Amino acid sequence: MGHELLTEHIEPTSGYSFDIWIPTQNLVVEFDGPFHYCNNTRTPLGSTVMKHRHIQQMGYILVVIPFWVWDMSDPLSSKQGVLQRHIDDALSTGRTSTP
């Protein structure tokens, strides 16, 4: 992808764990699994919504990749493409990328 990235980075102010943080772009990627959503829905839990909101309020660009998008992407090259597209979209607009 061409950027230094840190995985499972702990943000020192909030204590939040970021799945991926790209410091040079101030960009956070969160892979939200099924436990981030209400049972059998695509409705995020309140705690997930709050974390996303806090990340944005701290000034980060946020990319959220939900499990149903990630799981449908196979093999690995397809997953890399999904990740790259979401990051490129977020960086080009400077806004959060969510499903």
Side-chain angles (χ1 to χ4, degrees):
M1 286 196 293
H3 299 285
E4 174 195 7
L5 57 88
L6 302 172
T7 59
E8 297 302 324
H9 172 73
I10 304 296
E11 203 280 330
T13 304
S14 66
Y16 284 133
S17 173
F18 299 159
D19 293 330
I20 295 176
W21 179 44
I22 303 174
T24 57
Q25 303 296 325
N26 208 37
L27 185 134
V28 172
V29 178
E30 286 289 301
F31 296 96
D32 286 351
F35 294 109
H36 286 271
Y37 298 89
C38 296
N39 285 341
N40 301 315
T41 73
R42 293 183 177 184
T43 303
L45 296 173
S47 58
T48 298
V49 172
M50 185 174 68
K51 180 180 180 181
H52 293 172
R53 186 177 303 132
H54 287 164
I55 290 170
Q56 293 172 72
Q57 288 174 341
M58 289 186 292
Y60 295 100
I61 298 170
L62 175 63
V63 172
V64 177
I65 301 179
F67 70 95
W68 63 86
V69 170
W70 193 247
D71 289 350
M72 290 183 353
S73 306
D74 203 40
L76 180 59
S77 61
S78 179
K79 289 183 184 306
Q80 289 172 330
V82 166
L83 181 57
Q84 188 66 58
R85 278 190 303 279
H86 278 80
I87 288 173
D88 289 346
D89 288 348
L91 289 176
S92 69
T93 63
R95 295 189 319 217
T96 292
S97 172
T98 59

